[in-house]
Amino acid sequence: MENYDTKGKVLKKAVIWKDLYFYRKSDVLYQLTVDFCHRFLPVHGDRTVDQMVQAARSGKQNIVEGSEDGQTSSEMEIKLPNVARGSLQELRSDYQDYLNTHHLKTWEKDNPRQQRLRDFCSKHNDYSDYEPLLGKINDEEMANLALTLCHQTDKMMCAYITKLEERFVKEGGIKERMYAARTGYRKEQDTYMKALEAENLRLKEENEKLKKQIEEILGST
């Protein structure tokens, strides 16, 4: 967020969404959810599968769209990550429902397994870090993994959105930046013209002095 340089510019520097940790975690959630549904939910006749996969996909895609649209629209830059949060909260609810309806445990924060899981998720952001593990864990473990990722991703996105809102208050949207850029340009032109006028006046005065000196020299000969 701190690498933006908007001075004199209308469009903000594009955010590289692939580098955002919470985007990478959301991509893990999407691929993990596809695998979870394939392994533990009916292939046909259960709308939960479509809902979970769509919620996971919406989470990561709205992060991408928010980053892309953010160059020209501060409103969409803030709105779409919030939409992504809503989708991932829906996904979190689906995983929680699965644990409840299948009489499985939700690991509490003081559970040593949950502590280890939370530590692992905080240090790993890419699906390649998780893929070797997924085939070895059961549905309870996988659902708790997803819940942990949902929580950490949401927390990171909340911090990101807060920064976007703070920057909007300070810099405004594209209309404000257009006005600031145009006003700044005019001020620069005014300053430049005043400098030219001052230089022109100085040259005239110097020219008059030289003319007098020449007249004095010619008058003495």
Side-chain angles (χ1 to χ4, degrees), residues 83-100:
V83 173
R85 283 192 65 222
S87 295
L88 295 182
Q89 286 170 358
E90 179 183 338
L91 180 66
R92 182 166 58 184
S93 177
D94 286 331
Y95 276 111
Q96 188 65 65
D97 287 345
Y98 180 91
L99 289 171
N100 293 339

Side-chain angles (χ1 to χ4, degrees), residues 36-169:
F36 179 89
C37 292
H38 177 74
R39 290 177 59 190
F40 303 116
L41 291 173
V43 177
H44 303 291
D46 190 344
R47 292 183 59 192
T48 303
V49 173
D50 290 339
Q51 292 172 356
M52 291 182 70
V53 172
Q54 181 56 38
R57 185 180 185 280
S58 175
K60 77 185 190 75
Q61 288 303 114
N62 276 291
I63 294 171
V64 174
E65 292 177 21
S67 299
E68 295 290 343
D69 293 349
Q71 284 189 276
T72 55
S73 173
S74 295
E75 177 186 0
M76 299 306 290
E77 185 180 30
I78 295 172
K79 179 180 178 180
L80 290 177
N82 274 302
V83 173
R85 283 192 65 222
S87 295
L88 295 182
Q89 286 170 358
E90 179 183 338
L91 180 66
R92 182 166 58 184
S93 177
D94 286 331
Y95 276 111
Q96 188 65 65
D97 287 345
Y98 180 91
L99 289 171
N100 293 339
T101 57
H102 288 76
H103 309 290
L104 301 173
K105 291 183 179 180
T106 301
W107 300 348
E108 301 298 332
K109 62 181 180 180
D110 57 349
N111 184 322
R113 299 182 74 186
Q114 172 59 27
Q115 292 173 356
R116 290 194 296 272
L117 187 59
R118 186 166 60 245
D119 182 62
F120 179 86
C121 292
S122 67
K123 296 177 181 178
H124 297 85
N125 301 300
D126 300 309
Y127 182 68
S128 58
D129 300 321
Y130 295 82
E131 187 175 16
L133 306 175
L134 298 184
K136 303 175 184 178
I137 60 179
N138 59 34
D139 52 348
E140 180 180 304
E141 294 167 329
M142 202 165 179
N144 277 283
L145 170 60
L147 288 175
T148 301
L149 282 168
C150 283
H151 175 74
Q152 291 186 357
T153 304
D154 184 72
K155 187 175 181 180
M156 296 171 74
M157 291 184 69
C158 283
Y160 181 78
I161 292 168
T162 297
K163 287 186 178 182
L164 291 178
E165 292 171 341
E166 290 173 350
R167 194 183 68 207
F168 177 75
V169 171

